[in-house]
Amino acid sequence: MAAEPAAAAGLRAPVPGRCGYFVERKKRFCRMIPAQGRRFCGEHGHQEEENDRKRIPCPLDPKHTVYEDQLQKHLKKCNSREKPKPAYFVQDINAGLKDATEILDEQQLPISSLSKEELEDLIKKLKKASNGIKPILKDQMLSHQALQEALNDPKNGESAFKHLKQQASILGNMEKLCLLGPGRCFIEFGAGRGKLSHWVDIALQDAENVHFLLVERATTRFKVDGKHRKRDYIFERLQVDIQHLCLNKVPILEKEKLPVVGIGKHLCGAATDLALRCLVESYSTQYDERNEEPSPKRFKSDKTDIAFNNSADERSGKNVSENWKPVAGIVIALCCHHRCQWKHYVGREFFRTVGLGPVEFNYFQRMTSWATCGMRETITEASTIDAKSKDQSSDTEEHDQVRNRIECSSDSLQGLLTVEERKQIGRLCKLLIDQGRIKYLQQRGYNAALQYYTDSSVSLENVLLTAVPSQSSVLQPTA
C-alpha cells in the first residue's frame, strides 16, 4: 500500500522528507530518506510512477529487493553474501566426530515416554556410575580488587551486581591459579560483549606482552572491547563457531610463542566441550607438531621457577619457554548441560568406562534440567524468553534457567518423583557429565577441578571448571 491509500484510510501522512511508502506490516510509513527529488526511498523506489525499472527479491536474502538490472552488481556487495572464510577456519576441527557410528539420531524419545521401570533402571545406572564422585564441591567464592569499585557503585542494579560478583570470583580464581600475569594470550570463548576480558584487562594493570582473543560466532552489539583497541597490545575478535576454530592459524599465535589461557562465563552446553578440545587437543597437539625447536629438558629434580611469576624475566613476559605448555590454564563457568551433545562431548571415554553410552547420555543431559525444578514458570512465559536466547553464549545466564524450566515442566514425571528427588538427580547428572570433562583434562596432563564460584542465589549455574598443567607434565623431559 502506498501513501495515497493510507491517507484515504485516515492514517497519518508521512513525515516530511521521508519515504512516502506505507509499510502494511508495521502499520506506519517508511522512515528512510529518499534521494533528492524522489518520493520514495531506494527500497520502495519501484513505487515511482515514472520509474519502469523492475525490482526483485534478493536471491541471497528475500527480505530485501534489488533492481533486476543491477542484480549481479548487488550480489557482490550484499551483506547476506557468503563471506570468505578466515585462515583460522578449519571445518569441524574441534567437533570430535571420529566415532560417528555411535552418534544418535536427533529425534529421541522424551523422558516422559519412559515407563516407571525404565526410569528406575536409568536412575540406578546413574547412581552406580557416580559412585566415588564427591557429590559436594568445594566453595571457591572469591573476589578481585579490580571490581571493587564497580561492586560498591550504587548505580548498578541487582542484575548488574550479580554479574559483577561472578566476574569478580572468576578473576579471583584466576589469580589464585597464577593465571593473571604478563606474557600470555587470553582467549574468551563465547565472549558476547567481552565483559570478562574487560575485567581481566583491568586486573592486569598494563602488564607487558598481553593479548586478548574474543571468540563469538554472533555479531554482538555494544562491544565492551571497543574501549581497548587503541592500546598497544592486541584486542581482537574472532567471529567463528568454536567448532571450526584452529588457534594455530590465528596470526598473533602464529607470530608469537605465547601460552594461552582459555576463559568463559556461562559457556553453553556443547560449546564447553568444543572449547576444551580446541585448547588441549587441536591447539596443543598441533603446536607440538610444528615446533621445530623443542624446549630445553627439565627434570623432576629441578623444581625451581615452575610458576610464571617467579622471576623478573617472567614478569616481563620473557623467556617463559623453558617451563611452559601451550595452554597455561582454563577457567570456564559451566552452564546449559541440557544442551550438551554426545557427538561433541569430551568425556565419552569416561562414560564407556562406567558402562554408559550415548543412550544414557541423551537422557542424563535432559535430566540435568531437573536441578532447577524449584524455579518454575509457565511454559508460555519461558518460551517467550527462550526465543530471544539463541546465541552460543550470552552475557546473561537466565536463558539457561528458562530452558531448564521448559524441560522440567514438559516431562510430566511429577507423579513418579518428588521435586526434591528430581533436583538431586538433576545435580547428579550435571556432576557426572562434568566428571567426564575432568577425566578428559587429567588424561592430557592437567590438574582439573570443579568448585562453586558463586552462591546459588546469584546464579543457579554456579560451578567453575579450572585446569592448569600438572607439575609432572611441565617438568618431564620433552621428546
Side-chain angles (χ1 to χ4, degrees):
M1 183 188 296
E4 291 81 357
L11 298 175
R12 205 168 46 178
V15 177
R18 303 285 174 163
C19 178
Y21 183 80
F22 184 77
V23 184
E24 182 66 32
R25 180 173 59 87
K26 297 182 179 180
K27 303 300 181 185
R28 63 168 174 78
F29 288 94
C30 173
R31 294 171 182 167
M32 297 293 289
I33 300 176
Q36 188 173 3
R38 299 282 188 179
R39 293 180 54 210
F40 300 96
C41 66
E43 177 65 21
H44 303 121
H46 59 285
Q47 297 295 318
E48 296 277 11
E49 294 80 5
E50 69 276 12
N51 191 347
D52 58 357
R53 297 168 68 192
K54 182 181 179 181
R55 292 186 71 89
I56 60 174
C58 173
L60 299 179
D61 182 5
K63 292 182 180 178
H64 66 276
T65 61
V66 60
Y67 284 117
E68 187 174 28
D69 57 3
Q70 292 185 342
L71 177 60
Q72 295 306 316
K73 181 179 178 181
H74 170 79
L75 292 177
K76 294 179 181 179
K77 61 181 181 179
C78 178
N79 289 333
S80 299
R81 73 189 186 281
E82 185 176 358
K83 310 290 193 301
K85 296 291 190 296
Y88 49 78
F89 181 97
V90 178
Q91 186 72 36
D92 292 331
I93 187 173
N94 305 311
L97 301 173
K98 294 178 182 178
D99 52 352
T101 55
E102 280 196 343
I103 297 174
L104 294 173
D105 293 333
E106 293 299 326
Q107 297 297 326
Q108 293 296 311
L109 295 175
I111 299 174
S112 57
S113 66
L114 297 176
S115 66
K116 182 178 180 180
E117 292 74 20
E118 289 173 326
L119 179 62
E120 290 174 346
D121 182 59
L122 197 61
I123 294 173
K124 286 179 182 178
K125 288 183 178 181
L126 171 66
K127 292 181 177 179
K128 181 180 178 180
S130 303
N131 281 340
I133 301 176
K134 189 177 180 181
I136 300 177
L137 306 182
K138 182 179 180 181
D139 287 340
Q140 289 284 11
M141 302 176 191
L142 308 178
S143 190
H144 196 280
Q145 185 62 34
L147 288 94
Q148 291 310 304
E149 183 178 348
L151 285 167
N152 295 325
D153 188 348
K155 295 180 181 178
N156 287 319
E158 182 181 354
S159 177
F161 179 73
K162 288 183 176 182
H163 289 296
L164 289 169
K165 287 199 69 174
Q166 294 172 68
Q167 290 154 349
S169 184
I170 291 174
L171 263 65
N173 278 276
M174 292 176 67
E175 186 174 54
K176 185 174 181 179
L177 295 171
C178 300
L179 295 178
L180 290 178
R184 62 205 66 188
C185 179
F186 294 89
I187 304 177
E188 184 179 357
F189 292 94
R193 287 186 280 172
K195 286 190 174 181
L196 184 56
S197 292
H198 164 76
W199 290 115
V200 171
D201 173 48
I202 299 296
L204 289 172
Q205 298 180 344
D206 298 321
E208 297 179 15
N209 199 22
V210 174
H211 303 297
F212 290 88
L213 296 176
L214 282 68
V215 182
E216 175 61 60
R217 71 181 181 186
T219 302
T220 308
R221 293 184 177 183
F222 313 117
K223 300 174 184 177
V224 179
D225 49 296
K227 302 176 182 178
H228 304 269
R229 290 176 183 158
K230 295 181 181 180
R231 306 280 288 276
D232 294 335
Y233 51 78
I234 302 295
F235 223 104
E236 180 182 357
R237 276 189 175 263
L238 307 180
Q239 188 176 344
V240 61
D241 194 306
I242 303 171
Q243 180 172 330
H244 312 302
L245 173 60
C246 179
L247 290 176
N248 293 286
K249 296 187 178 182
V250 176
I252 186 62
L253 295 179
E254 278 189 311
K255 180 181 177 182
E256 298 191 35
K257 184 178 179 180
L258 288 175
V260 302
V261 179
I263 60 177
K265 177 176 175 285
H266 294 290
L267 194 57
C268 297
T272 294
D273 299 300
L274 295 172
L276 293 178
R277 192 175 283 110
C278 177
L279 289 166
V280 306
E281 196 167 324
S282 62
Y283 179 62
S284 296
T285 303
Q286 292 186 33
Y287 183 89
D288 292 339
E289 291 174 353
R290 70 175 184 167
N291 190 10
E292 297 177 358
E293 298 182 5
S295 301
K297 294 184 178 181
R298 298 293 299 271
F299 298 91
K300 290 186 178 180
S301 59
D302 184 4
K303 296 184 179 180
T304 59
D305 297 339
I306 295 175
F308 280 100
N309 300 325
N310 289 345
S311 71
D313 284 339
E314 288 167 345
R315 283 193 294 273
S316 66
K318 300 176 181 178
N319 299 328
V320 297
S321 61
E322 290 189 7
N323 57 10
W324 81 296
K325 288 196 66 163
V327 179
I330 301 170
V331 179
I332 295 175
L334 305 172
C335 93
C336 293
H337 292 75
H338 57 287
R339 299 180 69 188
C340 292
Q341 299 178 41
W342 177 257
K343 63 182 179 181
H344 298 315
Y345 180 50
V346 296
R348 287 177 296 192
E349 184 178 342
F350 165 73
F351 257 60
R352 296 187 193 103
T353 60
V354 293
L356 302 174
V359 174
E360 290 82 8
F361 180 86
N362 168 67
Y363 287 119
F364 290 162
Q365 59 92 2
R366 295 185 182 200
M367 289 160 67
T368 59
S369 63
W370 294 358
T372 53
C373 276
M375 302 292 294
R376 294 171 183 264
E377 284 188 2
T378 65
I379 297 178
T380 302
E381 291 173 341
S383 300
T384 301
I385 304 176
D386 179 61
K388 302 176 182 178
S389 307
K390 296 181 180 179
D391 288 345
Q392 191 177 66
S393 175
S394 169
D395 283 339
T396 62
E397 71 278 2
E398 284 77 9
H399 66 285
D400 174 68
Q401 298 171 14
V402 167
R403 291 178 190 273
N404 282 349
R405 291 173 214 151
I406 296 173
E407 294 279 344
C408 186
S409 302
S410 62
D411 53 41
S412 304
L413 291 171
Q414 287 85 350
L416 301 178
L417 297 167
T418 66
V419 170
E420 191 58 38
E421 286 173 333
R422 289 157 63 90
K423 285 183 181 180
Q424 292 176 0
I425 292 170
R427 295 188 190 110
L428 200 56
C429 289
K430 286 190 175 190
L431 188 61
L432 187 67
I433 291 174
D434 290 337
Q435 186 66 18
R437 291 164 169 167
I438 295 296
K439 293 294 184 183
Y440 170 83
L441 291 167
Q442 290 174 345
Q443 290 172 357
R444 283 155 179 79
Y446 289 83
N447 285 329
L450 299 167
Q451 51 266 314
Y452 293 121
Y453 79 103
T454 192
D455 190 80
S456 59
S457 63
V458 175
S459 173
L460 292 175
E461 294 287 10
N462 60 342
V463 175
L464 188 71
L465 169 66
T466 62
V468 292
S470 62
Q471 180 172 318
S472 60
S473 68
V474 173
L475 299 179
Q476 288 287 357
T478 56

